[in-house]
Amino acid sequence: MPDENPAGKPLGDESPDRPEGQATDTSPKVATGNEPDGKAPEPPEPKDDLVTTHHQLRVGRRRLAYTATAGRVVLREEEHKDGTFRGNKARAEISMTTYTLDGADPRTRPVVFAFNGGPGSSSVWLHLGLLGPRRVVMGDVGQLEPPPYGLADNPESLLTVADLVFIDPMSTGWSRAVEGGKPGEYHGYQRDIEHVGELIRLWTSRNKRWMSPKFVAGESYGTLRGAALAAHLQDRYGMYLNGLILISSVLDLSSIDFEKQRNDRAHALYLPTYAAIAHYHGKHGRRSLRSVLQEAEAYAARDLPWALSQGARLSPEDRATAVSTLARLSGLSEDYIDRCDLRIEHWRYFTELLRDERLSVGRLDARFTGPAASAIAENMDADPSHDAIMGPYAAAWNHYVREDLGYTSDLHYEQITSRVMPWSFKDFEGRPVDVSDRLERAMRQNPHLRVHVSYGYYDGATPHFAAEDVFAKLRLPQSLRANIEHAYYEAGHMMYVHEPSRVQQSRDLADFVVRSSGSPT
């Protein structure tokens, strides 16, 4: 944020004076033995730790001057004990990066709050892959760049139409509990929504942006978080959004569940994705992707659920038809389909499709392949698409945040971490994890809320047909259904890895933000 701007004081107004880029001392305080009563001293009161820098982005013939703010913000919670208010206590230090256009009117300038998913993922993927003013240069399938990779300006950045706030939820990025705090308290559905929502409220209030058009953008688990967060912001703070951006959506985990509930829903809803992947890898001859998807979606919507529901009652003739159809669409052998009892589990599919070539297919992006560690393994040892993506983003971020944004820390930036596990879904005990009712509530409460959903046809983590199934069953009047729009890309979970998809998706999102906020470009 700017040091001074029409929107008021930036988030981090309480931060101590320190040279730009100077690392914060995050080492634990050790007792010396000379403290009164032998007690260790209280840890120092944490303060916002932010660095502000100024930049320009060339977009066609224009130069956009903008201000970046990077670092950590202290979140506090009201403490009540035995009916007594004990103050607003520091509980967490959350890392974030913000970009604001210099000289813009905050009443008309939209702001987009963005995060990824996991759970356990930082926001680096949306930040440097799609939305931010700088982007990673890593190449694509068959033409990956070698280390140390690169960075480039991103003239397609959403900054062209909106200010951007990237949030790293607890234990991701540089976000941590305060010294002596318990990060595990935040590792679960409800507390995750609450602390991200509080950060949004805090930033909006400190920067006087309550009258700005506001959007939330989430990817993967971030779509589940985003849908629930839209309802939470409305219910808790009265903060109504203009739009919700859901990238690689999964609002109902039972739609992609192969094992916990032992239902056949995922086995049917994954089939169109399997068919698209088989098409990409040459299993459908000269047929178009569209024709393959149309057949697979029709079969997955009607005939396959019926066949699976029959169990042992399925006649030999009907079973033979199902085996043949599934094999043809998925690209697997009839023998395999018969042995798996018509039920193709996704990790096994990625391992099986190109087994004869001793290759595994990517789960996040099935366009990627990699050598299988074992030609007889039931499941691949690693996701080749994740392997391809991880290194470039780590190098780009760790260079960019220090060199360009001027922020340093000796903490490891947790790009994606397992430290948030086990993730608590206690709010859904005894029932599927499904927030579609929260989205329904948000849209009924705020009929101006618009929703944009982005799908990748080669996404093996959150398949498009499963997400479509959830949206088709939302309990909404037809007038509100018109507020939901869908965009499809011939790419994977992070569709922006594919350059043509990145460029098109950038246009689609900018158009959505402008239409949903009435903001001039």
Side-chain angles (χ1 to χ4, degrees):
M1 295 293 298
D3 295 324
E4 294 183 4
N5 63 65
K9 291 189 293 185
L11 182 61
D13 182 65
E14 301 168 357
S15 60
D17 294 331
R18 69 178 182 92
E20 287 192 355
Q22 180 175 311
T24 303
D25 180 10
T26 57
S27 58
K29 304 301 182 289
V30 180
T32 64
N34 298 320
E35 295 79 13
D37 302 322
K39 295 181 179 179
E42 290 291 323
E45 180 70 11
K47 296 182 178 181
D48 292 351
D49 175 29
L50 297 167
V51 174
T52 296
T53 51
H54 303 277
H55 310 266
Q56 288 191 345
L57 175 65
R58 187 180 183 91
V59 181
R61 296 182 178 180
R62 296 184 298 160
R63 286 190 180 273
L64 302 182
Y66 67 93
T67 298
T69 302
R72 302 205 298 174
V73 174
V74 177
L75 284 191
R76 291 176 168 81
E77 295 180 9
E78 294 183 14
E79 186 175 289
H80 298 264
K81 189 173 182 180
D82 299 327
T84 302
F85 177 56
R86 297 298 182 90
N88 207 23
K89 303 295 185 180
R91 291 285 184 263
E93 297 176 83
I94 305 299
S95 64
M96 63 189 302
T97 309
T98 67
Y99 300 97
T100 56
L101 190 68
D102 293 349
D105 181 355
R107 288 181 60 90
T108 58
R109 177 73 173 170
V111 57
V112 177
F113 300 94
F115 38 74
N116 280 83
S121 177
S122 69
S123 62
V124 69
W125 317 100
L126 284 177
H127 188 166
L128 293 186
L130 179 65
L131 303 180
R134 298 274 282 167
R135 66 180 183 86
V136 66
V137 178
M138 59 164 281
D140 198 0
V141 174
Q143 295 180 321
L144 291 172
E145 296 288 333
Y149 316 107
L151 274 166
D153 281 347
N154 180 18
E156 294 82 27
S157 170
L158 201 59
L159 182 62
T160 58
V161 298
D163 292 341
L164 305 172
V165 178
F166 295 98
I167 298 170
D168 297 328
M170 174 59 76
S171 298
T172 73
W174 283 308
S175 296
R176 304 290 190 271
V178 295
E179 185 175 336
K182 296 180 178 180
E185 294 177 356
Y186 294 86
H187 298 163
Y189 164 78
Q190 187 60 39
R191 290 286 279 154
D192 173 71
I193 291 167
E194 289 171 352
H195 88 276
V196 173
E198 172 60 10
L199 186 64
I200 290 173
R201 183 203 66 81
L202 190 63
W203 188 92
T204 301
S205 296
R206 288 187 180 181
N207 291 276
K208 301 182 180 179
R209 299 299 294 268
W210 276 89
M211 296 300 286
S212 300
K214 289 177 283 295
F215 296 77
V216 162
E219 179 179 299
S220 194
Y221 183 84
T223 65
L224 189 151
R225 174 192 291 129
L229 185 61
H232 174 75
L233 290 172
Q234 291 177 185
D235 293 343
R236 179 70 179 91
Y237 304 123
M239 182 184 289
Y240 284 34
L241 301 176
N242 291 73
L244 182 61
I245 297 169
L246 305 177
I247 299 172
S248 302
S249 180
V250 56
L251 305 185
D252 177 358
L253 296 189
S254 69
S255 68
I256 60 171
D257 174 25
F258 287 98
E259 53 182 304
K260 290 186 174 63
Q261 300 183 51
R262 198 176 176 182
N263 62 49
D264 288 325
R265 189 180 179 195
H267 292 292
L269 296 176
Y270 255 89
L271 179 61
T273 295
Y274 296 154
I277 295 169
H279 179 274
Y280 182 85
H281 291 288
K283 304 293 185 179
H284 284 285
R286 300 181 66 179
R287 292 184 66 185
S288 69
L289 174 61
R290 185 67 258 163
S291 70
V292 170
L293 282 170
Q294 286 174 343
E295 181 186 0
E297 289 172 0
Y299 188 69
R302 184 172 180 176
D303 294 343
L304 180 55
W306 176 83
L308 295 174
S309 72
Q310 296 305 294
R313 297 167 294 181
L314 192 65
S315 71
E317 294 77 16
D318 287 335
R319 182 182 178 88
T321 298
V323 166
S324 174
T325 304
L326 280 172
R328 179 169 51 79
L329 288 171
S330 69
L332 302 181
S333 69
E334 291 191 12
D335 177 64
Y336 185 87
I337 298 297
D338 186 50
R339 285 187 287 115
C340 74
D341 197 25
L342 312 180
R343 292 162 175 83
I344 310 169
E345 196 281 328
H346 71 320
W347 284 108
R348 294 188 177 110
Y349 178 81
F350 308 136
T351 309
E352 188 67 24
L353 181 65
L354 301 180
R355 185 185 293 277
D356 58 347
E357 301 177 47
R358 300 200 172 193
L359 294 174
S360 299
V361 170
R363 174 176 176 263
L364 292 177
D365 191 331
R367 298 175 305 126
F368 288 85
T369 60
S374 169
I376 60 171
E378 182 179 9
N379 290 314
M380 61 186 181
D381 64 300
D383 178 351
S385 56
H386 183 268
D387 288 348
I389 295 166
M390 189 74 173
Y393 278 79
W397 170 254
N398 280 287
H399 170 81
Y400 170 64
V401 70
R402 292 170 172 84
E403 187 70 17
D404 291 8
L405 301 185
Y407 183 81
T408 61
S409 172
D410 287 339
L411 282 175
H412 169 54
Y413 185 86
E414 295 285 355
Q415 189 166 312
I416 187 163
T417 180
S418 61
R419 287 185 174 184
V420 302
M421 299 302 174
W423 190 259
S424 172
F425 285 116
K426 64 181 181 181
D427 305 85
F428 299 91
E429 189 171 355
R431 59 191 177 97
V433 178
D434 179 4
V435 300
S436 58
D437 62 330
R438 304 301 294 145
L439 179 57
E440 293 165 352
R441 166 61 181 155
M443 295 184 72
R444 290 195 300 265
Q445 184 179 10
N446 173 15
H448 299 288
L449 176 63
R450 299 175 65 90
V451 181
H452 176 96
V453 193
S454 298
Y455 307 91
Y457 283 132
Y458 307 122
D459 176 2
T462 57
H464 72 278
F465 201 59
E468 286 180 356
D469 187 67
V470 173
F471 284 103
K473 295 171 181 175
L474 290 179
R475 297 169 295 181
L476 294 171
Q478 198 61 37
S479 60
L480 291 182
R481 286 192 172 278
N483 287 2
I484 304 174
E485 61 184 56
H486 308 265
Y488 300 84
Y489 307 94
E490 292 187 32
H493 192 67
M494 301 151 69
M495 56 282 294
Y496 40 86
V497 171
H498 178 236
E499 182 65 7
S501 296
R502 182 190 70 81
V503 173
Q504 185 59 52
Q505 187 178 23
S506 298
R507 292 174 183 153
D508 294 343
L509 294 181
D511 177 64
F512 172 74
V513 169
V514 170
R515 284 187 288 108
S516 302
S517 62
S519 171
T521 56

